[in-house]
Amino acid sequence: MKLNASNTAMWPMIWIMGIWWLSREFLGPADHDGIFYSGEALRHLLVLNFSRDIFFDSFTQGNYSIFGSLYAHAIQFMGIKHAAWLMSFGGRSVWAIGALALAYNLTQNQPTSFRVATLALVMLLPSTYDGVGFFKFGEAIVTPRCWAEGLSLLAISQSIKNKNLTAWILGGTALLFHPLMALPTLVIVWGMTPPRIRNLTGGIGCLLISLAVFLNIDPFGRILTVLDAPWWDVISSRNIYITPLTWPPYRITGTIGLLILCWHVVRVENRPILRRLAQVTGYLIVIDLCLWALGIYARNALLVQLQLWRVLWVGQILIPALWVQTLHAPANWKTPDLIHTMMVIAMLVSQSWSIHLCLPLALWITTPQGREFFNNHPRIKYPSILVAAGIFALTLPAIYPDIVVHIFIFSQTTAAFPVLFALSQEPVITLPLIAGSLWLTQKLPKPTIPQALVAAIVTVCSGYAIYAQWKTMDEAPPDVRSIQAIVPPGAVVYWDQGLTHTWLVLNRASYASFQQGAGAIFSRQLTLEISRRLNLIAEMGIQESGGRRLDATMATNPAGLCADVELDFLLLQGQYPDATHQIPHPYAPYTDPTLSIFDCAQLRRTATPPRLD
């Protein structure tokens, strides 16, 4: 299908793309998990500076990704802020291309309205796929996840066209960016191959994995490792998203609803290739979630570290997109079709378990029995439509607090259009708006003119937002050369300004921070050592939260922390009489005007030895 101005799907698809770009704001290299990958990139460039950082001493996801190396090359050319923007923009561009390819290949020989609907659900449905709201697909942060997701969508789109070799190449490339995100894709691509090839490659894969376990090749050898109590206690409290016990009821009912919808697709879809895709996706989700629960129950290191719940990101994209293909053409809709569609979409966008429980009724409505019921009871036609519309409307009050919070946050950050950013994140608003606008413009004599006008407005808004985010990266970082003159490369530093400034501004190894504990899931050594160091910091009177000091009170015994031989320099705002250096704080007037620097090695040399009597 050619993309041209006369194509009735072109302009609405541009609306969707523009809204999707507006729905995420890039906040810089330290936003969310971006801090870890920005630090990883700097480690590639400044090996000595980060050689003793506890976070990089252990294995992290960065050890299995080419992203850090690519990011490091970009930093060399344009600095860390603009490089972070470029890597984020590149990842989202790949994601958008993957979404377009998936929508096009799923809707071959379908009316253009199916293509628009498929793309809208792929790009605009809620993107959170964990239980506590930490992780989203297609996010505008500088991580390899978005790259791996986009390449995965491209791989699956090629599987639909039976281009298996291309699909394997794209899936393998996604694996190079983020193995945990690409793993479900490779299983789907494998499941979509012809039976003979699938059996052969499956057998070879099982033999290779068994050999890797026998030879204790990392990470496969970890299948024999059990998380002991000290390790598990830290993981289950610090990385709370890994355990299903922290998931709210609506996430559980939403996942069950997704599987029921997948079963519905398998039952009614006529095209074998799409039915096969739904079967593979459904089986994969069930198997992965069962293995995840088993891993948590048995505290198996490998099963916990694989974070198999991540399979939900691909399920939340594919299953709604496949469901669209089972619908009748809108021109042939009857009352059951309209009610069914409204109720299913309400389930997909809702954060209410009670709405999720309505899904079986929504699916029954389109069965022969359901259609016969409506034919035999014509009087309930309009009341039933109103009830379905009411169920959808029930999702609106729940999102109001989120909208208010997002408007406030975006108005305080760099968002060009804080209200648009906030509203574009809510599918309860964007999906009806797109459907209503499309229906209204189709009623006009020349629908392409108003559709093109709306597309132009959305494109200008999203383009300006992207440009504004780029320009905010021009802001120069604080001048920390006076600190760097005192703190040499390779030193381990604790700075109460936070991990972001220790890594990305000062370019030094961090002694300890709450954020560095994110790697606890992968390393027992890191888990126990970071806990020890954070306890020492707490004894000094500083409570860590997200890598920053919670208050401006003076530390009670800063020199006492220097007794730990792993710490080289301690940097605290405020005037401390026993500090070895006092210099103007580079972040003043936003902090205390004085920065006290403790040379811990010097303090240990001059410390009075304890009396033994």
Side-chain angles (χ1 to χ4, degrees):
M1 183 176 181
K2 294 182 179 179
L3 197 64
N4 54 62
S6 62
N7 185 339
T8 56
M10 175 182 173
W11 301 118
M13 292 174 79
I14 293 177
W15 303 353
I16 295 167
M17 297 287 289
I19 292 172
W20 180 75
W21 276 103
L22 278 172
S23 67
R24 308 284 190 276
E25 184 192 12
F26 176 73
L27 297 176
D31 183 29
H32 205 278
D33 281 2
I35 178 63
F36 304 120
Y37 293 100
S38 296
E40 177 74 25
L42 288 173
R43 185 172 73 106
H44 283 275
L45 300 174
L46 305 169
V47 177
L48 174 62
N49 294 30
F50 294 91
S51 59
R52 294 173 55 206
D53 193 288
I54 185 174
F55 183 79
F56 300 114
D57 276 348
S58 61
F59 277 97
T60 65
Q61 293 182 41
N63 295 92
Y64 304 97
S65 174
I66 64 172
F67 182 82
S69 179
L70 296 176
Y71 188 6
H73 282 89
I75 291 174
Q76 287 182 305
F77 283 101
M78 58 183 66
I80 189 167
K81 286 190 173 183
H82 290 96
W85 181 94
L86 180 65
M87 296 301 290
S88 172
F89 181 83
R92 296 201 75 206
S93 299
V94 172
W95 205 100
I97 294 171
L100 280 170
L102 182 65
Y104 265 80
N105 291 339
L106 280 173
T107 56
Q108 292 295 320
N109 303 318
Q110 292 274 67
T112 55
S113 57
F114 280 73
R115 189 155 293 158
V116 175
T118 301
L119 185 66
L121 295 191
V122 167
M123 303 195 80
L124 301 182
L125 281 179
S127 57
T128 301
Y129 58 90
D130 71 317
V132 291
F134 287 169
F135 297 96
K136 299 180 179 180
F137 51 78
E139 51 199 344
I141 61 178
V142 57
T143 79
R145 289 197 292 267
C146 205
W147 291 82
E149 292 161 7
L151 290 165
S152 295
L153 295 180
L154 284 169
I156 295 170
S157 71
Q158 295 304 298
S159 288
I160 296 170
K161 297 176 68 175
N162 287 318
K163 294 185 176 180
N164 296 310
L165 179 59
T166 306
W168 276 110
I169 293 173
L170 289 166
T173 307
L175 195 72
L176 295 177
F177 277 91
H178 200 296
L180 297 183
M181 300 304 293
L183 186 60
T185 302
L186 292 178
V187 176
I188 290 174
V189 169
W190 170 77
M192 295 290 288
T193 55
R196 179 180 297 180
I197 299 176
R198 185 165 64 245
N199 294 337
L200 177 62
T201 54
I204 294 174
C206 289
L207 287 175
L208 291 176
I209 291 174
S210 301
L211 182 62
V213 171
F214 178 76
L215 297 177
N216 198 28
I217 298 175
D218 193 69
F220 300 100
R222 302 183 191 184
I223 194 68
L224 304 176
T225 302
V226 176
L227 305 173
D228 58 17
W231 191 1
W232 175 253
D233 289 343
V234 174
I235 291 176
S236 58
S237 58
R238 170 58 180 81
N239 305 76
I240 59 173
Y241 53 83
I242 68 160
T243 168
L245 298 178
T246 61
W247 286 36
Y250 79 87
R251 285 298 300 164
I252 298 173
T253 57
T255 301
I256 295 172
L258 204 63
L259 291 171
I260 293 174
L261 191 61
C262 185
W263 167 80
H264 170 76
V265 173
V266 173
R267 186 175 60 87
V268 303
E269 177 57 58
N270 294 322
R271 285 169 289 178
I273 190 70
L274 298 189
R275 187 165 60 248
R276 177 66 184 171
L277 179 57
Q279 289 173 334
V280 173
T281 304
Y283 285 134
L284 177 62
I285 292 175
V286 171
I287 293 172
D288 274 11
L289 293 183
C290 289
L291 288 175
W292 172 47
L294 175 63
I296 297 297
Y297 175 77
R299 298 184 183 179
N300 182 272
L302 182 61
L303 292 179
V304 171
Q305 292 166 0
L306 285 176
Q307 303 174 57
L308 295 172
W309 51 266
R310 288 181 185 264
V311 68
L312 291 176
W313 85 263
V314 71
Q316 288 179 198
I317 291 175
L318 286 182
I319 294 174
L322 288 166
W323 164 73
V324 172
Q325 316 315 312
T326 68
L327 299 175
H328 293 164
N332 301 325
W333 274 14
K334 304 296 183 183
T335 301
D337 299 292
L338 179 60
I339 297 173
H340 167 84
T341 302
M342 285 194 294
M343 292 181 68
V344 170
I345 292 180
M347 187 278 294
L348 292 172
V349 302
S350 175
Q351 295 185 0
S352 170
W353 62 267
S354 57
I355 293 180
H356 296 160
L357 296 180
C358 297
L359 180 63
L361 175 61
L363 301 182
W364 174 82
I365 288 172
T366 55
T367 63
Q369 296 84 356
R371 293 183 183 276
E372 182 181 357
F373 177 82
F374 275 89
N375 290 334
N376 295 335
H377 300 81
R379 291 183 179 181
I380 67 170
K381 173 181 177 181
Y382 293 109
S384 299
I385 293 175
L386 289 176
V387 169
I391 291 174
F392 186 86
L394 287 174
T395 61
L396 287 170
I399 68 169
Y400 177 75
D402 291 340
I403 293 175
V404 174
V405 170
H406 287 148
I407 291 175
F408 173 77
I409 292 174
F410 291 145
S411 65
Q412 300 299 312
T413 56
T414 59
F417 308 103
V419 176
L420 283 180
F421 268 108
L423 295 180
S424 63
Q425 291 189 343
E426 302 297 341
V428 179
I429 294 175
T430 56
L431 292 177
L433 185 63
I434 291 171
S437 301
L438 187 58
W439 176 82
L440 183 62
T441 55
Q442 289 290 353
K443 298 294 183 181
L444 299 176
K446 295 183 178 180
T448 56
I449 295 177
Q451 289 178 4
L453 179 61
V454 173
I457 294 172
V458 172
T459 302
V460 169
C461 290
S462 58
Y464 178 74
I466 294 170
Y467 171 75
Q469 292 167 16
W470 166 266
K471 292 301 292 182
T472 59
M473 298 299 107
D474 291 340
E475 181 181 353
D479 187 353
V480 295
R481 287 176 294 181
S482 58
I483 304 176
Q484 292 173 331
I486 299 172
V487 180
V492 176
V493 176
Y494 178 76
W495 188 8
D496 65 354
Q497 197 65 33
L499 179 66
T500 296
H501 303 276
T502 305
W503 276 1
L504 307 190
V505 180
L506 190 59
N507 297 152
R508 297 295 187 265
S510 172
Y511 171 72
S513 71
F514 180 80
Q515 289 165 296
Q516 286 170 287
I521 189 174
F522 298 106
S523 170
R524 185 180 187 276
Q525 176 187 356
L526 169 64
T527 300
L528 301 183
E529 180 62 15
I530 199 73
S531 298
R532 182 188 72 84
R533 296 183 183 187
L534 290 177
N535 287 335
L536 291 176
I537 293 172
E539 291 174 4
M540 188 178 62
I542 294 179
Q543 296 296 322
E544 278 278 336
S545 178
R548 295 183 63 84
R549 189 159 63 168
L550 289 176
D551 54 52
T553 57
M554 301 291 280
T556 56
N557 183 26
L561 185 61
C562 282
D564 187 356
V565 296
E566 300 295 335
L567 179 62
D568 296 325
F569 287 87
L570 173 63
L571 281 62
L572 299 174
Q573 58 176 303
Q575 296 184 13
Y576 292 86
D578 49 351
T580 50
H581 303 83
Q582 290 187 354
I583 62 174
H585 202 299
Y587 289 78
Y590 304 106
T591 64
D592 190 282
T594 302
L595 177 66
S596 295
I597 301 178
F598 297 80
D599 185 335
C600 292
Q602 179 178 333
L603 290 175
R604 286 192 291 268
R605 288 194 298 269
T606 59
T608 303
R611 296 179 60 182
L612 301 179
D613 55 339

